[in-house]
Amino acid sequence: MAFRDYIRERFFPHIWCPGCGHGIVLNALLHTVEGLGLDRTSLCMVSGIGCSSRIAGYVDFHTMHTMHGRALACATGLKLARPSLNVFVPMGDGDATAIGGNHFIHACRRNIDLTAIVLNNRIYGMTGGQFSPLSGRDVLATTAPYRSIDEPFDIVKLALGAGATFVARTTAFHVREIGNLLKKAVLHKGISVLEVLVQCPTYFGRKNNQGGAVEMMELYRDNTAPLGSKKLEDNPSLIPRGVFREDTRPEYCEEYAKVVARAKE
Amino acid sequence: MSGVVTGKSPAGNPDGAKRGGTAPDMHFVQGNEACVRGAMYAGLNFFAGYPITPSTEIAEHLSDILPRNGGVFIQMEDEIASMCAVCGAALAGAKAMTATSGPGFSLKQEAIGYACMTEIPCVIVNVQRGGPSTGLPTKVAQGDVMQTRWGTHGDHSIVVLTASSVQDIFEITVEGFNISETYRTPVILLFDEVVGHMREKLVVPAPGEITLVDRLYTEVKAGVNYHPYLTREDGRLPVSDFGGVHRYNVTGLFHDIFGFPTENADQVNRLIYHLVDKIENRAHLLARWKEYHLDDAEHIILSYGASARSARHLAETRRGKGDRIGFLELQTLWPFPAALIREKTAHAKSVFVAEMNMGQIAAQVKQAVSKPDRVFLVNRMDGMLVTPSDIGAVMRTVEGRGF
């Protein structure tokens, strides 16, 4: 199967701004799916609302573009009704951790076999550059003209605390790493949370003097380091990348199958 | 039951008559349990919910019955998630339902709108309690009538059914699933605390006794272009499940026949008319009602749900005394059966609408009839069931006979 067979070419060009990091994640995702040779009729994508959610329109999967923050809740129903499906859930930072925060922690807690990808650009892009729960303090945004005072979530810690069984982080600069981590995430049985730091040059970069897409990606290169690396050891203030947790715990659909078996006894 | 005419009622066995020499499948159950049994009869295989009074028994019973039948029961993190999970499951081919009350119904509105827009068949039960806000969690009310119609934002249309007895709850639940499958629309079953919690006889019809509507699947073969939102001439929309051979997009945005977002004015216009017309143009087909002694009635009481029990009681009592009182019970609230009401009340001197709200159906009745100033509201909103005496007192006053 050729890589291009996994996209809906008729719906291109995409809506993302020049320099946006979302397309890089889409690219990595398509190569991962192609590499794994997954049954096409099993491929599903459920997304919420925002720039990131538009990924669902471009992949030739069964795609459900839902409501702001509700992707994981919809995906839970879809997966539980048909556990053989491979369900990808791309979300933005506001989508996953603000309006969808409750669904996020509960999907992690349930350990249902979904691949959740949080495309974290630290801003609400679709609505024009408002700060999000991942913006952090001292950020300029259209709703923080005097700089934000909100403390940010750390997605990795949030997912770990909520009980996700696969948790990883990378950035749009590290294209191959996205693919490698996505592959692990897909193969993992249970909820997988992959955070990808993605640049939004249009709003976050421009508002906060981070330059264009290239400069922002250079920041990802310089300000992050792999877990267990010398670079991170020497400078613990860098953002760690890699797999933070990969363990096994009963998966929700499999556990539910046991409930059915018990009920039928 | 003399004088009763049932409109478009599903073929059931309401009087518990013996069938084919076998004893009837008879039970003494709550309305909420009758709803559960009706849903199972209709083929329910997915339920997502969240505990809330006075609907909780529906979730409790389904957490037992669904797994025994190989179906899915999931208690979600909130009401929003429950409705979302129902949408996801329905796209995977499930007959899916959720149940709630009061504040929970408010929370579900967002995803109900999504189901309207994406034409996802599903059933939402709202066992009403007193509102607004936390209101009267354990008491009866009928204040959500307009919320069922307009609770979600934007122009849309929706089907809302109700019932006044345990037996009727069973049958209207089956009917709700059938309508949701036929027109690919969310259907709201609007019950109330009294009918949800009261216990009565339920006779479960034999399998096959009530015809069931299953999902209409596309005949388009694999590899051939399938247009998920290309409506057939009869208004139906053949579906393909997620996980099937056709991959397509579903979105809450206005969309074209591929299910892809569009802002094209023509396509937007076509879709909004389709969503509204598929229901409003069929108001006559979707109307379910019961009527008693209407033929020579001078005064007609119109009611639904728990209020209808008091209304019918009063109508029968006064008939016994020789008064020409008729009674019309609505089982379809939306699309509002305006033509039916206009016709049935055409020769009445006055129409009394008994309901437990500020006149949400009474306002619709006023719009439907030729003499709106002869429509009178009889209501009660203190958490107590409106009684036959409440209705009788208003009627006597209007008739100029004191009370």
Side-chain angles (χ1 to χ4, degrees):
Chain A
M1 189 77 71
F3 164 84
R4 293 174 84 94
D5 290 339
Y6 288 96
I7 57 174
R8 293 173 173 144
E9 284 192 63
R10 59 177 300 137
F11 299 129
F12 281 76
H14 60 69
I15 63 155
W16 297 313
C17 303
C20 173
H22 290 348
I24 296 170
V25 180
L26 171 59
N27 184 3
L29 183 132
L30 294 171
H31 279 105
T32 303
V33 169
E34 184 202 14
L36 287 169
L38 299 172
D39 171 18
R40 296 191 79 192
T41 58
S42 79
L43 296 174
C44 293
M45 186 175 279
V46 183
S47 67
I49 294 294
C51 300
S52 61
S53 74
R54 293 304 187 94
I55 285 186
Y58 305 126
V59 296
D60 190 12
F61 297 2
H62 304 282
T63 56
M64 188 180 181
H65 178 228
T66 70
M67 296 147 279
H68 195 28
R70 315 297 176 217
L72 281 169
C74 293
T76 297
L78 179 66
K79 177 73 181 178
L80 202 47
R82 206 178 267 228
S84 60
L85 299 175
N86 283 296
V87 184
F88 294 83
V89 188
M91 294 171 285
D93 39 312
D95 208 25
T97 66
I99 195 163
N102 200 32
H103 310 309
F104 182 79
I105 57 174
H106 286 276
C108 291
R109 171 181 68 80
R110 267 185 209 109
N111 196 34
I112 186 163
D113 190 20
L114 305 169
T115 304
I117 308 160
V118 184
L119 293 92
N120 176 11
N121 57 14
R122 301 176 64 196
I123 204 92
Y124 287 90
M126 187 70 91
T127 46
Q130 299 76 31
F131 71 94
S132 89
L134 299 184
S135 297
R137 293 178 64 95
D138 296 323
V139 159
L140 286 167
T142 55
T143 47
Y146 306 110
R147 295 191 180 275
S148 59
I149 57 170
D150 286 45
E151 293 290 345
F153 274 132
D154 178 326
I155 296 243
V156 166
K157 288 180 183 167
L158 188 64
L160 290 172
T165 47
F166 180 95
V167 182
R169 177 194 286 135
T170 184
T171 86
F173 177 81
H174 303 89
V175 183
R176 287 204 190 84
E177 198 170 275
I178 301 175
N180 293 338
L181 293 174
L182 257 178
K183 187 177 170 188
K184 287 184 180 178
V186 173
L187 295 175
H188 176 74
K189 196 76 184 166
I191 183 100
S192 320
V193 178
L194 173 62
E195 177 186 17
V196 187
L197 304 178
V198 288
Q199 72 280 4
C200 173
T202 303
Y203 289 111
F204 194 91
R206 188 160 52 92
K207 279 267 174 196
N208 292 282
N209 284 324
Q210 287 193 348
V214 174
E215 290 78 11
M216 292 184 81
M217 289 176 77
E218 283 171 350
L219 288 175
Y220 291 146
R221 178 195 63 197
D222 299 338
N223 294 342
T224 67
L227 281 167
S229 68
K230 178 93 172 51
K231 187 180 171 189
L232 188 62
E233 195 183 327
D234 291 345
N235 187 357
S237 68
L238 296 178
I239 299 168
R241 307 192 317 270
V243 178
F244 293 79
R245 180 188 285 163
E246 189 173 14
D247 61 14
T248 49
R249 203 153 54 76
E251 193 276 328
Y252 198 79
C253 297
E254 291 181 355
E255 290 302 296
Y256 187 76
K258 293 178 191 168
V259 168
V260 170
R262 280 202 295 276
K264 285 182 169 177
E265 271 171 15
Chain B
M1 281 285 241
S2 65
V4 58
V5 179
T6 305
K8 301 277 183 182
S9 178
N13 191 12
D15 297 323
K18 289 231 163 58
R19 305 180 312 275
T22 56
D25 184 11
M26 200 185 298
H27 306 268
F28 183 62
V29 293
Q30 279 190 332
N32 282 344
E33 189 176 349
C35 173
V36 165
R37 287 171 180 267
M40 294 306 294
Y41 187 97
L44 178 78
N45 51 16
F46 186 98
F47 178 90
Y50 188 84
I52 187 162
T53 306
S55 74
T56 307
E57 293 85 1
I58 294 174
E60 287 177 337
H61 283 290
L62 284 170
S63 73
D64 176 23
I65 294 172
L66 271 171
R68 278 198 272 126
N69 289 276
V72 176
F73 170 89
I74 184 169
Q75 183 170 311
M76 294 295 285
E77 57 270 21
D78 58 30
E79 303 282 6
I80 300 169
S82 307
M83 190 60 217
C84 291
V86 160
C87 290
L91 282 180
K95 278 195 176 179
M97 178 173 101
T98 185
T100 189
S101 302
F105 189 59
S106 294
L107 289 174
K108 291 194 193 295
Q109 297 303 327
E110 178 191 32
I112 290 173
Y114 183 77
C116 288
M117 184 58 130
T118 55
E119 304 188 63
I120 291 177
C122 55
V123 173
I124 303 104
V125 184
N126 175 8
V127 185
Q128 293 170 97
R129 66 192 220 183
S133 191
T134 313
L136 287 168
T138 63
K139 301 287 187 182
V140 71
Q142 294 176 315
D144 301 351
V145 172
M146 292 308 287
Q147 190 189 16
T148 59
R149 179 64 187 89
W150 294 115
T152 195
H153 60 277
D155 265 313
H156 66 284
S157 203
I158 199 153
V159 178
V160 180
L161 307 175
T162 183
S164 65
S165 73
V166 166
Q167 187 68 42
D168 286 356
I169 284 180
F170 180 97
E171 286 161 21
I172 214 75
T173 300
V174 178
E175 193 69 356
F177 276 90
N178 282 350
I179 291 171
S180 92
E181 292 295 337
T182 304
Y183 301 106
R184 281 185 60 179
T185 177
V187 169
I188 295 169
L189 302 177
L190 188 64
F191 303 138
D192 55 63
E193 190 277 334
V194 164
V195 296
H197 279 164
M198 79 187 173
R199 288 178 188 274
E200 278 185 329
K201 181 175 78 174
L202 169 68
V203 179
V204 176
E209 206 168 309
I210 304 180
T211 305
L212 301 180
V213 177
D214 285 320
R215 206 151 296 178
L216 176 68
Y217 283 100
T218 179
E219 289 173 359
V220 173
K221 303 249 183 320
V224 181
N225 251 349
Y226 161 65
H227 301 107
Y229 289 99
L230 183 61
T231 312
R232 284 199 330 192
E233 279 184 9
D234 62 359
R236 293 191 71 182
L237 204 54
V239 73
S240 175
D241 289 340
F242 275 34
V245 293
H246 299 293
R247 293 177 300 277
Y248 60 95
N249 190 52
V250 173
T251 177
L253 289 163
F254 274 92
H255 44 269
D256 58 19
I257 58 172
F258 297 96
F260 206 73
T262 180
E263 290 180 342
N264 175 294
D266 250 6
Q267 290 172 335
V268 169
N269 202 47
R270 210 174 304 152
L271 178 53
I272 188 71
Y273 273 103
H274 162 67
L275 293 178
V276 172
D277 288 351
K278 74 175 181 179
I279 292 170
E280 297 302 323
N281 289 356
R282 292 179 174 80
H284 58 297
L285 294 173
L286 295 169
R288 307 285 182 274
W289 74 94
K290 288 185 167 187
E291 57 181 78
Y292 305 80
H293 316 296
L294 288 191
D295 289 345
D296 64 343
E298 282 185 352
H299 304 288
I300 294 174
I301 314 174
L302 184 150
S303 192
Y304 54 93
S307 307
R309 300 176 71 87
S310 298
R312 185 180 158 204
H313 179 91
L314 181 79
E316 298 288 359
T317 307
R318 287 194 56 178
R319 266 283 156 182
K321 294 176 183 168
D323 291 336
R324 282 157 64 184
I325 307 289
F327 171 52
L328 178 58
E329 177 185 345
L330 298 186
Q331 292 184 309
T332 300
L333 297 185
W334 304 108
F336 192 71
L340 173 84
I341 289 167
R342 189 159 51 245
E343 178 202 324
K344 298 289 181 189
T345 63
H347 303 293
K349 284 183 183 164
S350 48
V351 178
F352 296 86
V353 180
E355 55 184 337
M356 289 176 282
N357 59 47
M358 290 290 271
Q360 297 184 25
I361 285 295
Q364 310 309 312
V365 175
K366 277 177 186 280
Q367 283 192 359
V369 301
S370 54
K371 289 179 283 185
D373 55 347
R374 298 303 299 163
V375 176
F376 303 94
L377 170 67
V378 187
N379 66 348
R380 188 159 183 172
M381 292 157 296
D382 57 356
M384 305 301 285
L385 180 65
V386 65
T387 65
S389 313
D390 294 331
I391 304 168
V394 173
M395 290 181 78
R396 288 181 67 92
T397 306
V398 169
E399 290 161 22
R401 301 199 293 159
F403 65 93

